[in-house]
Amino acid sequence: MLIVMRQDATQEQIDAVVRVIEEKGCRARPIPGGERVSIGVLYNKGPLDPAGFQAMAGVKEAIAVTRPYKLVSREVKPHDTVVRVGNTEVGGNRLSIIGGPCAVESESLAMATAEHVKKAGADIFRGGAFKPRTSPYAFQGLGEEGLKILAKVRETFDMPVVTEVLDLEHFDMVEQYADIVQIGTRNMQNFSLLRRAGESKKPVMLKRGMSATVDEWLMAAEYIMSEGNENIILCERGVRTFVRHSRNTLDFSAIPVVRRESHLPVIIDPSHASGYRDQVLPLARAAAAVGAHGLMVEVHDMPDFARCDGGQSLYPDQFALMCRQARAICDIFASS
Ligand code: PEP
Ligand code: MN
């Protein structure tokens, strides 16, 4: 249930509603809005009677939330969330672009790639220091050394960085260096990791599980938000299907559904969705057209020598072209 307070409700009236919710054994989550405060009721065992709340001073209405996810739903917060990341924002009308290599491989390669990424007009740099690899023999990332290189990229190019956390053990370390903590497709339902991300002060990028429904994805975001972290960016990265022409199938239809159901920003990763460089540019253009708030794309100074995902990494000039074309498409919608 969501208790919507009147515009002129006093703090005492808000506190009184919170007390009643807690006396019923539930948890109250005040949600400040532009004009009025709403209070989300969490952990209720069954349906609550709205009449009691409606009769309280300062209450405008009590609304039953019909979705299984609550805090991430538009029923609870109708307006779009814009996530502030360093000197930029994800959400709203401007297309955010995140670019960088699959993995941080060395300082010189990361710096060279970051220079291209910055020059192309991207907002955020990406790069894995801990890599989830299918094979235990494949390059696993540089670990803390990679995180230190990312910190250097941030300082040199004045760009926030996003990097993946694989497990609880390394959360504190990754959180310390990252501007956005990424939870990858393989961890979307790692509930202890989600709860830990919910305690973080850093924004979290939650990639869609490769076999997850939109509901499961939003419930995973709910885990994070229920612990108090409201800065979540969703990322569609393709789902497993029967096709062989690409690594995954980019589920464009999830974007309008997520935007209808949730106030959270949602971006698209066409690199992991396709697995092939020649598919990335057309998918990125389509992502801008379908209403994604941003793109996350792999780009490498020397893709042919990449230790990880070289075949799907763009050359720097392709990345610059992609930035121009995707932004132009986004602008058509922003201005109409
Ligand atoms: C990544 O973005 O580095 C990554 C491993 O992606 P995913 O979790 O979508 O496979
Ligand atoms: Mn990759």
Side-chain angles (χ1 to χ4, degrees):
M1 178 170 293
L2 181 73
I3 320 287
V4 183
M5 301 302 290
R6 288 163 50 112
Q7 237 170 302
D8 57 2
T10 63
Q11 190 57 50
E12 288 70 40
Q13 290 169 339
I14 294 169
D15 293 344
V17 172
V18 167
R19 257 197 319 278
V20 171
I21 293 169
E22 283 171 357
E23 272 162 19
K24 289 183 188 297
C26 308
R27 210 183 287 173
R29 172 64 60 81
I31 305 158
E35 293 176 349
R36 51 171 51 94
V37 170
S38 300
I39 305 167
V41 184
L42 304 176
Y43 296 98
N44 47 311
K45 302 273 182 296
L48 294 166
D49 180 15
F53 289 107
Q54 244 141 14
M56 290 185 73
V59 172
K60 182 170 178 278
E61 55 183 334
I63 307 166
V65 177
T66 59
R67 303 292 197 265
Y69 35 87
K70 299 176 193 297
L71 298 172
V72 305
S73 80
R74 274 209 197 268
E75 287 185 335
V76 165
K77 182 174 180 261
H79 304 297
D80 284 359
T81 290
V82 175
V83 176
R84 176 103 217 143
V85 185
N87 54 7
T88 188
E89 287 177 346
V90 182
N93 286 335
R94 192 176 157 278
L95 188 76
S96 296
I97 300 183
I98 304 171
C102 180
V104 179
E105 298 166 30
S106 70
E107 184 176 322
S108 57
L109 272 173
M111 290 301 216
T113 304
E115 195 171 342
H116 294 299
V117 167
K118 177 84 182 181
K119 218 164 119 202
D123 309 285
I124 299 171
F125 187 74
R126 65 147 287 146
F130 295 94
K131 292 304 303 174
R133 303 304 301 275
T134 303
S135 163
Y137 309 117
F139 176 55
Q140 307 284 311
L142 296 180
E144 189 165 15
E145 191 193 334
L147 295 173
K148 287 186 175 150
I149 294 170
L150 287 172
K152 204 157 181 183
V153 165
R154 171 178 45 229
E155 240 172 76
T156 312
F157 297 98
D158 192 26
M159 256 191 310
V161 297
V162 53
T163 195
E164 180 166 354
V165 64
L166 285 188
D167 45 44
L168 273 181
E169 191 188 335
H170 294 99
F171 205 106
D172 290 357
M173 186 199 287
V174 172
E175 182 183 43
Q176 187 191 323
Y177 291 96
D179 296 295
I180 303 175
V181 176
Q182 176 176 325
I183 295 185
T185 193
R186 294 159 186 82
N187 266 320
M188 191 207 79
Q189 284 188 319
N190 181 338
F191 299 114
S192 43
L193 199 64
L194 297 175
R195 284 199 191 279
R196 174 63 186 82
E199 291 166 9
S200 179
K201 297 278 172 282
K202 295 283 172 75
V204 175
M205 177 187 295
L206 179 64
K207 299 192 91 173
R208 179 180 178 182
M210 61 183 89
S211 314
T213 63
V214 167
D215 276 4
E216 287 165 341
W217 188 18
L218 293 177
M219 289 305 278
E222 186 79 14
Y223 262 88
I224 300 172
M225 206 176 283
S226 69
E227 296 297 326
N229 192 344
E230 292 172 5
N231 293 311
I232 303 169
I233 300 160
L234 299 167
C235 179
E236 160 64 40
R237 48 79 70 205
V239 290
R240 280 267 168 100
T241 68
F242 53 86
V243 308
R244 292 286 171 268
H245 60 267
S246 61
R247 193 167 161 185
N248 292 285
T249 298
L250 185 41
D251 182 11
F252 284 109
S253 63
I255 303 301
V257 176
V258 167
R259 290 198 61 161
R260 183 189 69 215
E261 294 295 318
S262 176
H263 51 85
L264 293 173
V266 56
I267 68 165
I268 284 182
D269 170 351
S271 305
H272 291 91
S274 65
Y276 296 97
R277 183 179 302 132
D278 62 338
Q279 296 178 20
V280 173
L281 176 62
L283 292 180
R285 288 191 297 240
V290 83
H293 292 97
L295 290 166
M296 181 159 83
V297 174
E298 287 185 346
V299 48
H300 196 287
D301 186 46
M302 294 190 286
D304 303 334
F305 298 95
R307 295 183 75 179
C308 177
D309 283 351
Q312 68 189 32
S313 298
L314 297 184
Y315 289 97
D317 56 340
Q318 293 177 316
F319 181 74
L321 177 67
M322 184 209 76
C323 290
R324 286 198 299 278
Q325 293 193 343
R327 286 238 160 89
I329 289 168
C330 184
D331 289 346
I332 295 173
F333 297 104
S335 61
S336 61

